[in-house]
Amino acid sequence: MPHERHIMGLFKNEEHVISAVEALKTSPYEFIRVNTPIPSHKIMQALNLKKSKVGWFTLCGGIIGFFSGFGLAAFTATRWDLIVSGKPIMAIIPFVIVGFEATILFAVFGNVIGLLTQMRMPNSGWLKYYDPRCSGEHFGVLATCEAHQKDGLEDFFRKRGAEVKSFKSSPKELI
Amino acid sequence: MDRRTFLKIAGMGSLSFASSCTSESDKKLFSLVRAPGDMVTGKAGWYASTCRECPAGCGILAKNREGRIIKLEGNPLHPINKGRLCMRGQAALQGVYHPNRLKAPLFKKNGRFQALSFSEATSLLNSRTAAARTGSNRARLLTETVGQSLMQLLTDALQDLSSPPPLVFESYAYESLKTANKLVFGLDGLASYHIDQADLLVSFGADFLETWLSPVEYAWKFKAMHALQTSTKNVFYHVNPVQSLTGANADRWVACNPGSESLMALALVKHALSADKGRELSATLQQTLTTALAAFTRDHLLQNSGISPTTYDKLVDRLMRARRPLVLGPGTGASDSNGFLTHVAVNLLNLLLDPELHRLDFTRRHRVEMAARRSDVLKFFNTLNTDKVELLLINNTNPVFSMSSDNTVKEALERPDLFVVCFSNFMDETAALADLILPVRMPLETWDEYGGKTGLVSTLQPAMGKLTHAPHLGDVISKACFSPESPVKTYPVKTYKDYLVYMLADAHGISDELKWVKTLQQGGKFDLPDDPVNSRQPPETDAIIKLLAGQVESKPSELTFTATPSIRFFDGRGANRPWLCEIPDPLYRIAWQTPVVMHPGTARANNIEQEDIVGIESKFGSLEAPVLLSELVVPGLLTMNIGQGHQAFDNETESSGLNPLQLLSPMAHKDSGGTDFNSTDIKIRKTGRTMKLAGTAGSLTQHGRTLALSITLAELQNKKTTPRSGLTMGNFPLTLPLPEGYDPKRDVFPPHDHDTYRWGMVVDLDKCIGCGACSTACYAENNIGIVGEKRILQGREMAWMSVERYHVSDQMERVAFLPMMCQHCDNAPCESVCPVYAPHHSKEGLNNQIYNRCIGTRYCVQNCPYKVRRFNWFTWKWPKPMNLQLNPDVTVRSKGVMEKCSFCIQRIKAAHNIAKNENRLIRDDEVAPACVQTCPTNALVFGNLMDKTSHVRKLTENPRAYQALGYLNTKPAVIYLKKVIQEI
Amino acid sequence: MTQLTYAKIDQTILDTLTPPKWTYWGILVLLFIGVLIGAACWTYQIFVGIGVGGQNNPVAWGTYLINFVFWVGIAHSGTLISAILHLFRAGWRNPIARAAETMTVFAVCVAGLFPFIHLGRVWQVYYMLPIPNQRLLWPNFLSPLMFDVIAISTYLTVSSLFWYTGMLPDLAAVRDRSTGTRHKIFTFLSFGWTGAHEQWRHFTRGYLFFAALATPLVISVHSVVSWDFALGIVPGWHTTIFAPYFVAGAIHSGLAMVLTLMIPLRKLFKYEDIITMEVLQNVAKTIVLTGLIVGLAYGTEYFLAWYSHNTVEMEQFRWRALGDYRWGFYFMVLCNTLAPLLFLFKKIRTTIISLFIISLIINFGMWWERFVIIVGGVAHGFAPHAWGLYRPTMIEFGIMFGTFCLFFFLFMLFAKHLPSVSMTEMKETLEGGHDHAA
């Protein structure tokens, strides 16, 4: 059943955030996310998130990169078979250098693609149920509840020393 | 080109010209809609002719492409130069195509020249001659050395004008040599020398490799004499205060104080007498000489000459033991008393050492002997006024420049009631003073005949159409100077060409068309008379005695100046040829400028430094010149090259450099009647200003690198030289650019194969005389840009091939020459660094440079250890009509691309096509790059290294073979042979 | 830094983005004129020919490649600080990382110009790109210059992406603190970043990979640049120590440039609390290290020359110290090795003015190091007959001046329009400072 109310507790203290998150797990309210100005390891641990998959994109990019780099060099060299400085047409070492640089380049492309896809960005949807203070000094914890539980949730946050910001609900949501 | 092809092509060319072309021919110089029969577009026609850049008269072949000459090469059949050419000969083209060549006659009206049409000019001349004919003795003619036929015509012409015969003017007229010959051999002329037959050569300064009599001829003869025989090598001593290129090629340069050569020569005569040489000669002669020479003792010589006793004694010893000795006198312009006396002594010495004079040839004498003595020339000009001469004709000589130290000539020419006509193609100093300048056709465009030696017929034929409508001198003269009833008019001739044929038929039995065509084809009639007409007389003893007695002890002057003839400009006629200015002096490596050269000691004594501008004052004049320090002159002597510093030439190219002649005595020597190119009691002062010298040599010595190597005869003889097998510069083996040149010990990469040919070159440093002809030929063949003085100062010369000069670091007075061009390495460092494959290795082993692909990163030149690559910093210009000289087979490069020696790939390609058509492989020695073709001494050999039997390949087995900086393991395809030096 | 708070950090840094005074615009205009001068010189050179420069035979490479190497070198410290020190968890790099990265990006842009300026036929430059074509003409991947093409373009791409990615959270911060057009622009630029834990989860990981990739890249790039010389056989170039030697040198010059840029920035933007003296000190200390490394390299070159007993090498290095370009050599030794040693004195490395002056000295010295290596080697190479000297012309100086203007022009634009210090990373240093300790 659709939740109606989105309520964000804005904390100034990392510790309070964590306790709030812990408490939410046992509460009837549903935890959605935390918006933090910095990557907080404690909070991450508290949410015990699993490892990001970005690395796989990077790896693939790298592998593709090396072979395309080396391949390009090797392919072009064999079009005319021009001898330079008495070196072999297929000169491995120089081509490895080309391969290396391409590895880095493509790995980074992979990495960027990985990030964008994983973080689902660019996407303005993130800005829904968001408070600008979260990029400043506040840690925002967003949770939802049924309409009737609204006050309860707000109290829940206040008790833990947060300012409360509640959003107008809308039928379809949840990013 | 081998002999057969040459005959084929030359024959074809000349035939058609002989039939189609008269001197009135009006062939246009643009591509034709219907080409004449012999002109196949893209195929060269070769025309045999004769070089007229100096009186030597070498045979040339002019390469004609689409109606324009693009290259000159020596005529292989010609007895004088045997197919070789010097740098001046190569540069003759730039005379024809010179942008400042006068296109139309110029007439001076109240001090300013205005152009006339040729018909107006000739009629003007005719009226003048008509006027002159009214009286007698009203006309004069001064001409350069010309062929027999033309001389005859000129003589007749003046006779018809009842005036004295023409006077032949040459700035180098060899007066003292002629006079000495007259005294000793009773012959007032110039014998030629069989240098090649000598086994010991002693020269007292004769610069026979540069300008003396017949440089190309004597170059190959000298190398024939000086060649390395199985175990020995003949010896050449050069006794002179200025080393000169010739001295640089001597086994020993005996540096003597200025003016002491005669003492040396006389001491040797004395020695020869006491050694009882020349027994065959009359006793009286011996007696008288012995007494006369009493004063000229060894000690007297050693005190005054600064020659070391050991050197002298060794020389004497060798000279006395020599079986076929030959002694040559002082250089081209030595007619001071010292020079004259030396000549006499040298002649006596030759006479004593070999009473039969086997090495002197009085039959085939040098044509230049017809040149008048300077004394007569002076008289000629002085009498112009007194004899009320109205008309003076000057044919292509520049006396005003050659005699620039006083105003006799100037004033004589400026006299208002004298009408001066100059048959000159350039506005030179003399022409500038003329009333009428009437350009005549240049040698490469005309019919004529010029035998450099007595009895030799060497023909000239138009090798190209006319660039201007200038008439032939012969036609002008015959129209202008002959009255209708003169005998010449009775000849069956219409034009000078007919006259020429008539005269030749008359004199040399070239009687019918076929003989004539044959003569034209091979460039002349070379069967010289072989009967030695012994015109010799016994020495005029008492004259000689008088001369010796008349010697006053001249006190040594502190500073002496001598002007030396230049291999580049001869007497100055070459000074407006850009190539000759651009290619640096062989010894001093200075381009464009004329520095005054002095010994570092002299400089220190006067606290002068290199590149200071000093004022030099003699009794006769003064000039300011930048200083170049060199150990190649003795202390106390200043020297400058003759030829540059023309005021009249109107662009910066031509007026570059300085004219040392201003410092010399205008007087002629009393005994020889010759000019004195030395000047004593010189004063120099610092001006405080300096001038950068446009030198191309970054360093005097080679800093112990394996570039220009030499080996002593002794080392060469003991065969047990251990084979080099190491990796260091010292003992790196010869690694041929072939699979056999590779060795896993040294090479990371495996060898690569070539397709039938692997082109390579062998440079024999023992034969190279450093004359720079190769470099000039390269400029001509490959359309190399002329950058000019300013750019050379910036280090931007474009020479693909330059003859590098290195002093021997522990004997600075010794120099070694190293012709350096692209080495076409098998592992060329330049190739792999190019990001776009512009340089790469061809199937035939060439290091190709693809101009269109080059983007100008300039990494290749950075990485070339020989620094032979040249970058086009700008788009170089060829002012019209110089562009007509460009070789159509070679791309003209534009700014931003790299270029370099290609081993004349265009010639290789041509040979490929011929071989393909004849369905064979390219023969050995069939391909000759421009440099190889022109080398006067055969120092360069080109061919296929893959062919084990080829000439080059065999030479690589020579124990003297090495590769420049071979230890870099670039495997150059240019193999050098060490210069052989002998300690004497 | 205890008195620093999130709020204070945001405030100080965002204050720098307030609309600038006219002096700022004035300086920008002047710099732009400088750029135009350079451009004019280059255009002239393109039409007349490379000959308007001073290069010649034998010295065919001049200031263009000197500046190329110089700027690539400058670039390197940026990546060092942002990537390598990030991996080392050196907390003190955070305040300067952003500016340093920016410096990298712009320095690479400027450096990337020089190969073009250097070319004899720049209009044919595309021959160096692997563009498929009918005649199957491809570039030669054996050439060190092709390594350059790939390495430099990779480096430019990677460092820009790295820079932008790292800036995302700050862009978001600016978005959240701004209104109107700026708000719109930054909303767009920040891609909808909100610092949600889902984003951070991937972001931190990705950023780590970025750093891990940038590190070998930055080393390879300057190694490749050094191979332009080391792969040539020219005496004075042809040595295996070049790669590490150049990398160290690059970082050396880069760090000096960081100081040169940071010190005025710190003053103008009142960053005293953020870019503390301790940070500058740490940079200075690192400079001492790199300075010693390049000093060692100078020494090693001489040792090798002597040890090789190769006459050519020995002559080259004798001439380097005593020959026509000895001043360049003295500059390079004094400015790059001896001057930095002054930082050993706490007094000197804690005084702003001395820090600034010495940083300038090092920049000067590093330029001369490149001169000595690039010009010296070929000027006095294998063939004594070809030895020659090189002197830059006004055209070259004009172009050089233009490119310097370009760099500072770009940097000034950046400083006033993007957060020149990373707020996020600053906050990190406050917060979990302890678990980030260097």
Side-chain angles (χ1 to χ4, degrees), chain B residues 559-561 614-625 638 662-664 679-687:
Chain B
L559 277 182
T560 315
F561 177 88
V614 294
I616 308 170
E617 272 172 49
S618 79
K619 299 186 220 70
F620 313 102
S622 71
L623 57 74
E624 292 186 343
L638 314 179
Q662 308 159 23
L663 296 175
L664 304 179
S679 178
T680 51
D681 305 325
I682 294 291
K683 296 184 187 35
I684 51 176
R685 52 174 176 75
K686 290 179 75 168
T687 60

Side-chain angles (χ1 to χ4, degrees), chain C residues 30-343:
Chain C
L30 289 180
L31 286 172
F32 188 71
I33 293 170
V35 177
L36 290 182
I37 292 173
C41 292
W42 187 15
T43 323
Y44 175 69
Q45 172 179 290
I46 290 173
F47 281 100
V48 179
I50 283 288
V52 299
Q55 300 96 327
N56 56 20
N57 192 20
V59 187
W61 288 1
T63 49
Y64 302 148
L65 286 195
I66 293 170
N67 288 319
F68 167 70
V69 180
F70 178 77
W71 282 113
V72 177
I74 298 295
H76 276 47
S77 67
T79 324
L80 167 95
I81 289 169
S82 55
I84 301 180
L85 293 186
H86 175 78
L87 293 182
F88 285 139
R89 299 260 182 277
W92 61 267
R93 52 71 86 177
N94 290 4
I96 51 171
R98 170 67 44 73
E101 277 178 52
T102 322
M103 182 184 79
T104 298
V105 176
F106 294 158
V108 178
C109 293
V110 173
L113 271 178
F114 277 103
F116 291 86
I117 298 170
H118 170 82
L119 281 189
R121 301 206 298 167
V122 65
W123 51 95
Q124 303 288 29
V125 66
Y126 63 90
Y127 285 174
M128 286 178 84
L129 306 176
I131 303 166
N133 62 79
Q134 212 172 10
R135 285 163 296 165
L136 297 171
L137 294 174
W138 296 94
N140 169 16
F141 284 102
L142 272 68
S143 164
L145 297 182
M146 283 312 294
F147 304 164
D148 268 352
V149 172
I150 303 159
I152 298 295
S153 49
T154 304
Y155 191 36
L156 180 57
T157 325
V158 171
S159 48
S160 335
L161 287 171
F162 191 26
W163 173 69
Y164 195 87
T165 316
M167 206 156 51
L168 267 183
D170 284 10
L171 293 173
V174 179
R175 173 198 65 202
D176 294 347
R177 307 280 175 291
S178 59
T179 54
T181 333
R182 172 176 279 180
H183 179 76
K184 284 203 188 61
I185 295 171
F186 279 83
T187 318
F188 172 75
L189 290 179
S190 56
F191 290 179
W193 175 272
T194 57
H197 66 271
E198 267 303 296
Q199 291 176 332
W200 280 121
R201 176 161 76 98
H202 301 295
F203 181 89
T204 45
R205 198 85 186 133
Y207 197 76
L208 189 68
F209 289 126
F210 252 122
L213 289 166
T215 307
L217 175 64
V218 71
I219 291 166
S220 81
V221 167
H222 221 65
S223 303
V224 162
V225 170
S226 80
W227 293 337
D228 286 349
F229 309 100
L231 292 189
I233 65 173
V234 179
W237 287 10
H238 191 46
T239 138
T240 44
I241 70 165
F242 256 36
Y245 170 13
F246 269 50
V247 173
I251 292 167
H252 192 48
S253 61
L255 290 174
M257 185 57 96
V258 168
L259 285 183
T260 318
L261 291 175
M262 280 306 157
I263 289 168
L265 198 71
R266 178 172 184 268
K267 184 98 198 67
L268 293 170
F269 287 172
K270 310 192 179 47
Y271 278 158
E272 284 80 359
D273 300 342
I274 293 177
I275 307 174
T276 55
M277 190 49 81
E278 186 206 348
V279 174
L280 298 180
Q281 265 199 71
N282 283 328
V283 178
K285 287 176 188 162
T286 328
I287 288 182
V288 174
L289 174 67
T290 50
L292 287 173
I293 298 178
V294 292
L296 176 67
Y298 300 160
T300 316
E301 283 191 305
Y302 270 87
F303 171 75
L304 289 177
W306 166 78
Y307 189 68
S308 69
H309 274 277
N310 176 327
T311 47
V312 180
E313 285 290 324
M314 283 156 79
E315 170 60 18
Q316 166 68 33
F317 283 93
R318 185 199 63 77
W319 181 80
R320 176 177 289 187
L322 306 173
D324 307 76
Y325 291 136
R326 55 184 179 286
W327 296 119
F329 176 70
Y330 302 152
F331 285 145
M332 103 184 189
V333 174
L334 288 173
C335 305
N336 303 343
T337 312
L338 302 182
L341 292 183
L342 294 172
F343 284 150

Side-chain angles (χ1 to χ4, degrees), chain B residues 669-969:
Chain B
H669 182 254
K670 58 180 181 355
D671 301 316
S672 70
T675 41
D676 184 354
F677 282 69
N678 308 305
S679 178
T680 51
D681 305 325
I682 294 291
K683 296 184 187 35
I684 51 176
R685 52 174 176 75
K686 290 179 75 168
T687 60
R689 282 172 288 123
T690 62
M691 171 179 176
K692 281 210 76 45
L693 290 176
T696 62
S699 161
L700 287 171
T701 62
Q702 47 183 328
H703 295 263
R705 299 169 191 197
T706 52
L707 286 160
L709 298 188
S710 60
I711 183 170
T712 63
L713 201 54
E715 286 167 349
L716 196 60
Q717 277 153 356
N718 61 30
K719 292 281 175 288
K720 55 169 174 32
T721 45
T722 51
R724 294 161 298 168
S725 59
L727 295 170
T728 59
M729 189 190 290
N731 71 343
F732 197 86
L734 183 80
T735 56
L736 290 180
L738 298 166
E740 41 268 63
Y742 285 74
D743 172 352
K745 276 215 317 295
R746 287 184 298 268
D747 298 279
V748 184
F749 299 121
H752 45 271
D753 297 321
H754 299 107
D755 171 7
T756 357
Y757 307 98
R758 200 314 174 196
W759 301 111
M761 190 184 285
V762 169
V763 181
D764 188 342
L765 298 184
D766 194 44
K767 285 189 180 161
C768 175
I769 58 171
C771 66
C774 46
S775 189
T776 326
C778 184
Y779 268 86
E781 172 77 10
N782 292 303
N783 306 339
I784 299 174
I786 300 292
V787 305
E789 179 177 354
K790 177 155 156 277
R791 305 285 177 215
I792 285 190
L793 281 167
Q794 297 169 337
R796 280 151 182 196
E797 68 273 13
M798 296 299 288
W800 284 7
M801 173 181 210
S802 58
V803 184
E804 298 183 351
R805 171 231 51 197
Y806 287 114
H807 287 255
V808 179
S809 44
D810 49 358
Q811 301 165 276
M812 287 302 276
E813 71 283 358
R814 269 200 120 94
V815 299
F817 297 107
L818 180 74
M820 179 53 75
M821 77 301 283
C822 175
Q823 306 281 303
H824 292 269
C825 314
D826 223 39
N827 295 345
C830 55
E831 288 167 353
S832 61
V833 296
C834 176
V836 293
Y837 283 119
H840 58 256
H841 198 69
S842 88
K843 287 261 174 291
E844 296 181 357
L846 296 176
N847 172 270
N848 287 349
Q849 174 70 17
I850 312 301
Y851 306 127
N852 292 341
R853 183 68 172 166
C854 176
I855 58 175
T857 67
R858 308 195 285 292
Y859 200 160
C860 50
V861 64
Q862 296 287 84
N863 214 31
C864 172
Y866 311 96
K867 285 280 173 284
V868 289
R869 293 179 149 263
R870 298 288 181 261
F871 186 71
N872 287 273
W873 302 101
F874 302 96
T875 301
W876 309 117
K877 303 265 180 301
W878 280 268
K880 284 184 175 8
M882 283 235 174
N883 57 325
L884 297 181
Q885 181 274 328
L886 294 172
N887 181 352
D889 296 335
V890 178
T891 324
V892 176
R893 286 78 57 185
S894 61
K895 67 168 185 275
V897 303
M898 192 60 70
E899 64 184 59
K900 62 156 193 72
C901 161
S902 66
F903 269 168
C904 285
I905 190 168
Q906 66 277 12
R907 295 188 175 207
I908 297 175
K909 287 288 163 210
H912 265 295
N913 296 343
I914 296 169
K916 192 144 172 277
N917 296 344
E918 296 172 10
N919 181 19
R920 57 169 173 89
L921 290 180
I922 298 175
R923 294 196 201 85
D924 192 20
D925 294 337
E926 188 174 346
V927 187
C931 52
V932 177
Q933 192 284 328
T934 204
C935 177
T937 59
N938 266 332
L940 309 173
V941 181
F942 182 81
N944 177 9
L945 285 169
M946 260 169 96
D947 168 7
K948 287 205 164 38
T949 64
S950 71
H951 194 173
V952 266
R953 182 60 184 274
K954 290 224 190 65
L955 283 168
T956 58
E957 285 141 24
N958 187 314
R960 296 187 286 132
Y962 76 96
Q963 287 154 311
L965 297 172
Y967 81 105
L968 294 173
N969 202 15

Side-chain angles (χ1 to χ4, degrees), chain B residues 427-682:
Chain B
M427 177 61 78
D428 58 25
E429 286 79 358
T430 309
L433 296 174
D435 299 282
L436 173 65
I437 307 174
L438 176 48
V440 291
R441 291 180 63 180
M442 296 185 97
L444 286 165
E445 308 167 311
T446 54
W447 297 101
D448 209 337
E449 163 270 319
Y450 179 90
K453 284 184 177 176
T454 337
L456 185 75
V457 183
S458 185
T459 52
L460 285 77
Q461 61 176 317
M464 64 185 290
K466 303 196 292 185
L467 275 168
T468 71
H469 289 79
H472 187 289
L473 176 66
D475 293 317
V476 178
I477 294 294
S478 46
K479 281 196 187 61
C481 305
F482 291 104
S483 62
E485 61 279 359
S486 81
V488 178
K489 292 288 179 189
T490 66
Y491 297 167
V493 299
K494 287 201 308 299
T495 67
Y496 176 71
K497 184 200 170 190
D498 307 344
Y499 175 82
L500 185 66
V501 179
Y502 179 83
M503 294 302 282
L504 289 177
D506 193 35
H508 301 275
I510 304 172
S511 46
D512 58 60
E513 183 69 22
L514 184 63
K515 282 202 185 131
W516 165 246
V517 169
K518 257 194 145 51
T519 316
L520 279 179
Q521 280 181 5
Q522 57 174 12
K525 201 154 166 300
F526 302 141
D527 40 17
L528 289 159
D530 227 354
D531 50 332
V533 280
N534 202 338
S535 48
R536 282 176 45 204
Q537 311 296 328
E540 302 171 14
T541 321
D542 25 7
I544 298 171
I545 304 304
K546 231 170 100 269
L547 183 65
L548 292 176
Q551 284 312 305
V552 283
E553 197 59 48
S554 61
K555 54 160 184 52
S557 97
E558 182 177 325
L559 277 182
T560 315
F561 177 88
T562 175
T564 50
S566 146
I567 189 176
R568 290 151 72 209
F569 310 112
F570 197 66
D571 60 357
R573 60 187 73 174
N576 64 349
R577 315 276 201 264
W579 288 334
L580 298 181
C581 302
E582 178 92 353
I583 293 167
D585 179 274
L587 277 184
Y588 307 124
R589 308 305 288 157
I590 303 291
W592 293 97
Q593 306 161 337
T594 323
V596 56
V597 184
M598 65 176 76
H599 191 279
T602 323
R604 243 177 279 112
N606 299 279
N607 78 80
I608 291 169
E609 283 171 8
Q610 179 135 322
E611 300 191 334
D612 282 355
I613 296 183
V614 294
I616 308 170
E617 272 172 49
S618 79
K619 299 186 220 70
F620 313 102
S622 71
L623 57 74
E624 292 186 343
V627 172
L628 173 75
L629 303 184
S630 169
E631 288 80 359
L632 304 183
V633 299
V634 294
L637 182 68
L638 314 179
T639 171
M640 285 173 84
N641 273 339
I642 297 170
Q644 283 176 293
H646 291 263
Q647 286 82 23
F649 286 170
D650 45 14
N651 73 24
E652 151 268 340
T653 304
E654 299 163 322
S655 55
S656 66
L658 298 160
N659 176 12
L661 296 172
Q662 308 159 23
L663 296 175
L664 304 179
S665 156
M667 293 297 99
H669 182 254
K670 58 180 181 355
D671 301 316
S672 70
T675 41
D676 184 354
F677 282 69
N678 308 305
S679 178
T680 51
D681 305 325
I682 294 291

